[in-house]
């Protein structure tokens, strides 16, 4: 009798452990999916916040670092003291460089902001910016952000 009870307890423990392991695997998959979508949201929110805080939407332009790496450039300051802030991806990171207007930009000098595999910036219309990006885990997305008041920019 004792032997039967021990066998039943062991079988119940194995069954319970198997069910628990299966449930935890499902939770991990859900958590991974939420984390991946969080990365996409974080990239969008970062760029949307920068553009919303921009005082002069006509000062936003696209460019390239070294003729190869797509960049988004914000021009700030007065006519006497103009600076540019460049955003681009390099070495698996979204990078930021602040320079004087017209100064050469080298990707190695950037400051890492967040992990991001690549990013591309395109003005679909004069005031509609498309940002396409890929996260480190391979998820891709494109977002469009309207720059109200950018009518006169090139």
């Amino acid at each position: 009798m004792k032997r039967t009870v021990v066998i039943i307890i062991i079988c119940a423990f194995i069954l319970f452990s198997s069910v628990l392991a299966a449930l935890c695997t499902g939770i991990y998959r859900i958590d991974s999916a939420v984390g991946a979508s969080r990365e996409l949201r974080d990239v969008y929110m970062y760029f949307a916040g920068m553009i919303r805080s921009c005082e002069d939407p006509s000062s936003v332009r696209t460019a390239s670092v070294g003729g190869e790496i797509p960049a988004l450039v914000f021009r700030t300051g007065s006519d006497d003291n103009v600076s540019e802030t460049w955003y681009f991806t390099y070495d698996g990171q979204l990078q930021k460089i602040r320079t004087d207007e017209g100064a050469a930009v080298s990707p190695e000098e950037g400051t890492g902001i967040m992990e991001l595999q690549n990013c591309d910036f395109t003005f679909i219309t004069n005031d509609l910016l498309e940002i396409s990006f890929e996260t480190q885990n391979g998820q891709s997305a494109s977002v469009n952000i309207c720059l109200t008041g950018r009518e006169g920019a090139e």
Side-chain angles (χ1 to χ4, degrees), residues 6 55 58 68 88 111 114 131 135:
V6 170
E55 293 177 12
S58 66
E68 298 177 13
F88 57 91
T111 302
M114 69 176 73
I131 303 174
T135 63

Side-chain angles (χ1 to χ4, degrees), residues 96-116:
K96 175 182 178 178
I97 295 179
R98 189 172 180 94
T99 65
D100 292 333
E101 184 179 37
V105 175
S106 172
E108 294 84 11
E109 297 173 0
T111 302
I113 297 172
M114 69 176 73
E115 289 186 353
L116 193 61

Side-chain angles (χ1 to χ4, degrees), residues 5-124:
V5 171
V6 170
I7 291 174
I8 291 173
I9 291 173
I10 290 173
C11 289
F13 177 76
I14 290 172
L15 179 64
F16 177 74
S17 297
S18 298
V19 169
L20 184 61
L23 290 174
C24 289
T25 301
I27 290 170
Y28 175 75
R29 274 189 244 130
I30 291 169
D31 188 48
S32 294
V34 168
S37 63
R38 190 174 298 137
E39 288 177 7
L40 296 174
R41 186 199 67 222
D42 290 347
V43 174
Y44 164 74
M45 293 300 290
Y46 183 80
F47 284 113
M50 285 188 324
I51 289 170
R52 285 187 188 122
S53 67
C54 181
E55 293 177 12
D56 181 10
S58 66
S59 67
V60 179
R61 66 182 174 91
T62 58
S64 63
V65 177
E68 298 177 13
I69 303 171
L72 187 63
V73 183
F74 291 80
R75 182 178 183 266
T76 56
S78 62
D79 291 337
D80 298 338
N81 187 20
V82 177
S83 65
E84 294 179 329
T85 305
W86 291 63
Y87 296 91
F88 57 91
T89 51
Y90 180 73
D91 200 23
Q93 292 275 320
L94 175 63
Q95 303 279 329
K96 175 182 178 178
I97 295 179
R98 189 172 180 94
T99 65
D100 292 333
E101 184 179 37
V105 175
S106 172
E108 294 84 11
E109 297 173 0
T111 302
I113 297 172
M114 69 176 73
E115 289 186 353
L116 193 61
Q117 191 59 39
N118 61 49
C119 201
D120 191 21
F121 310 95
T122 306
F123 275 101
I124 296 174

